[in-house]
């Protein structure tokens, strides 16, 4: 349990510090960064599977038409999510990207209601409504829809929804997802290299190492998270997941000095209040459900 919690904290903390890493690649286009992230992630994941002698299990589990179809959809959603996130970070919208991951859990609940016909308890509609009010308020404050946050929330929300239908674990799943888009990434990187705008091997050793490292920083927290998810309850995972957007938010405001005025505070405050109510209500509801049934003769 303790090891699982430590792995979970480490995974979410690494994801939380992602903005600093992607900022180091600010001079490289977001498309090229994602191309390298997909390519090196797939290479490292396949290497890990081969080194741990899991290839036969992976091949038999992954290479079926139904599995490939599910993970093709997941791969597209994940690619869009990665692209928008890196672009958002490197164009000065770290705070807005963090909002996307604060909204995501509430959006996932809403997707369950719409597509899986899950029912919300009456009190659960309050945080959903508050989060919606926060987004509407920020839209009015920004003078535009916070599309970066909403794109991240929707793509990751639908990604999670698709993964509910998916048969593979985290390791095999990400390997297959990156494998599906790997040829496209490779073709794109070859084209930018051929046209003379490729960054890899042209912008210095540090950039080359950071582009290769994009695969490493993707796979290491994933493996930590996969280990944690097996060892700790989902309720604990649900609490830990806010480490990442909280760190991203703090990095955006205090390190990169992104604007966070009173109007943004009100909008974010509504979303944060929604999350507090959501988790308190869930905790109390689960506590009631697990109360022991009194034995005959107990008062």
């Amino acid at each position: 349990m303790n090891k699982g919690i430590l792995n979970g904290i480490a995974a979410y903390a690494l994801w939380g510090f992602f903005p600093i890493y992607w900022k180091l690649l600010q001079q490289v286009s977001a498309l090229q960064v994602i191309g390298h992230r997909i390519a090196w992630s797939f290479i490292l994941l396949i290497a890990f599977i081969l080194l741990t002698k899991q290839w036969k299990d992976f091949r038999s589990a992954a290479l079926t038409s139904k599995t490939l179809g599910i993970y093709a959809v997941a791969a597209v959603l994940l690619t869009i999510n990665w692209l928008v996130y890196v672009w958002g970070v490197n164009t000065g919208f770290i705070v807005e990207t963090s909002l996307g991951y604060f909204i995501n859990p509430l959006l996932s609940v809403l997707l369950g209601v719409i597509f899986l016909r899950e029912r919300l308890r009456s009190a659960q509609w309050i945080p959903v409504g508050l989060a919606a009010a926060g987004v509407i308020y920020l839209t009015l404050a920004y003078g535009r829809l916070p599309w970066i946050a909403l794109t991240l929330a929707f793509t990751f929300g639908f990604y999670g929804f698709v993964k509910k239908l998916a048969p593979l674990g985290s390791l095999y799943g990400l390997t297959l997802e990156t494998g599906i888009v790997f040829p496209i990434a490779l073709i794109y990187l070859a084209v930018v290299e051929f046209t003379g705008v490729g960054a890899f091997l042209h912008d210095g050793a540090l950039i080359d190492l950071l582009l290769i490292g994009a695969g490493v920083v993707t796979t290491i927290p994933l493996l930590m998270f996969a280990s944690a998810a097996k060892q700790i309850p989902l309720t604990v995972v649900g609490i830990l997941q806010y480490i990442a957007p909280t760190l991203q938010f703090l990095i955006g405001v205090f390190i990169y000095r992104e604007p966070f005025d009173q109007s943004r505070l009100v909008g974010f405050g509504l979303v944060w209040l929604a999350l507090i109510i959501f988790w308190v209500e869930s905790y109390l509801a689960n506590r009631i459900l697990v109360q022991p049934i009194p034995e005959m003769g107990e008062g």
Side-chain angles (χ1 to χ4, degrees):
M1 179 74 168
N2 288 336
K3 185 183 176 185
I5 290 172
L6 288 174
N7 274 328
I9 291 170
Y12 282 114
L14 286 170
W15 283 324
F17 284 109
F18 263 11
I20 295 173
Y21 191 91
W22 303 128
K23 278 285 191 184
L24 296 172
L25 285 163
Q26 199 165 6
Q27 70 190 73
V28 182
S29 74
L31 266 174
Q32 284 193 54
V33 171
I34 296 309
H36 281 283
R37 187 179 185 184
I38 290 167
W40 293 111
S41 293
F42 177 65
I43 290 166
L44 287 168
L45 286 162
I46 279 291
F48 181 82
I49 285 172
L50 290 171
L51 287 170
T52 52
K53 298 180 180 178
Q54 298 182 61
W55 171 251
K56 192 177 287 185
D57 291 338
F58 170 70
R59 187 178 61 183
S60 60
L63 301 184
T64 67
S65 56
K66 184 181 177 181
T67 303
L68 286 169
I70 291 170
Y71 280 95
V73 175
V76 171
L77 290 167
L78 191 62
T79 302
I80 294 170
N81 182 273
W82 283 0
L83 178 61
V84 172
Y85 181 76
V86 171
W87 182 88
V89 165
N90 286 348
T91 47
F93 295 103
I94 297 173
V95 170
E96 190 176 330
T97 63
S98 75
L99 177 65
Y101 292 109
F102 280 124
I103 295 171
N104 176 248
L106 295 170
L107 180 67
S108 295
V109 168
L110 206 55
L111 290 175
V113 171
I114 296 168
F115 294 103
L116 300 177
R117 296 186 179 180
E118 295 175 356
R119 286 190 172 186
L120 289 185
R121 293 180 292 275
S122 298
Q124 287 180 305
W125 284 106
I126 297 170
V128 171
L130 279 172
V135 171
I136 292 167
Y137 185 90
L138 286 169
T139 299
L140 297 173
Y142 285 164
R144 64 169 180 83
L145 198 68
W147 68 268
I148 297 171
L150 292 175
T151 301
L152 292 174
F154 273 93
T155 52
F156 206 69
F158 275 105
Y159 175 73
F161 173 74
V162 170
K163 293 297 282 269
K164 274 182 174 287
L165 310 172
L168 305 180
S170 297
L171 173 62
Y172 289 2
L174 188 64
T175 305
L176 185 55
E177 288 157 14
T178 51
I180 287 168
V181 287
F182 176 72
I184 299 168
L186 215 56
I187 291 167
Y188 169 75
L189 292 173
V191 168
V192 295
E193 175 64 27
F194 182 75
T195 53
V197 293
F200 191 63
L201 300 177
H202 299 290
D203 287 353
L206 177 60
I207 294 297
D208 296 342
L209 288 172
L210 288 170
L211 289 171
I212 294 170
V216 178
V217 299
T218 298
T219 54
I220 287 176
L222 168 86
L223 296 174
M224 286 180 169
F225 176 77
S227 173
K230 290 178 183 177
Q231 297 168 322
I232 58 178
L234 280 176
T235 50
V236 178
V237 173
I239 294 166
L240 294 181
Q241 71 178 314
Y242 293 109
I243 293 172
T246 301
L247 285 173
Q248 291 163 11
F249 170 80
L250 293 173
I251 287 167
V253 173
F254 293 108
I255 295 181
Y256 295 107
R257 305 291 180 183
E258 289 188 8
F260 191 71
D261 54 22
Q262 190 173 354
S263 61
R264 285 175 171 83
L265 178 59
V266 172
F268 270 75
L270 286 169
V271 173
W272 290 333
L273 179 61
L275 291 170
I276 292 167
I277 293 171
F278 179 74
W279 284 111
V280 168
E281 193 280 338
S282 297
Y283 172 75
L284 293 174
N286 288 329
R287 195 176 174 189
I288 291 167
L289 286 172
V290 298
Q291 288 294 324
I293 299 169
E295 292 180 13
M296 293 297 290
E298 286 189 0

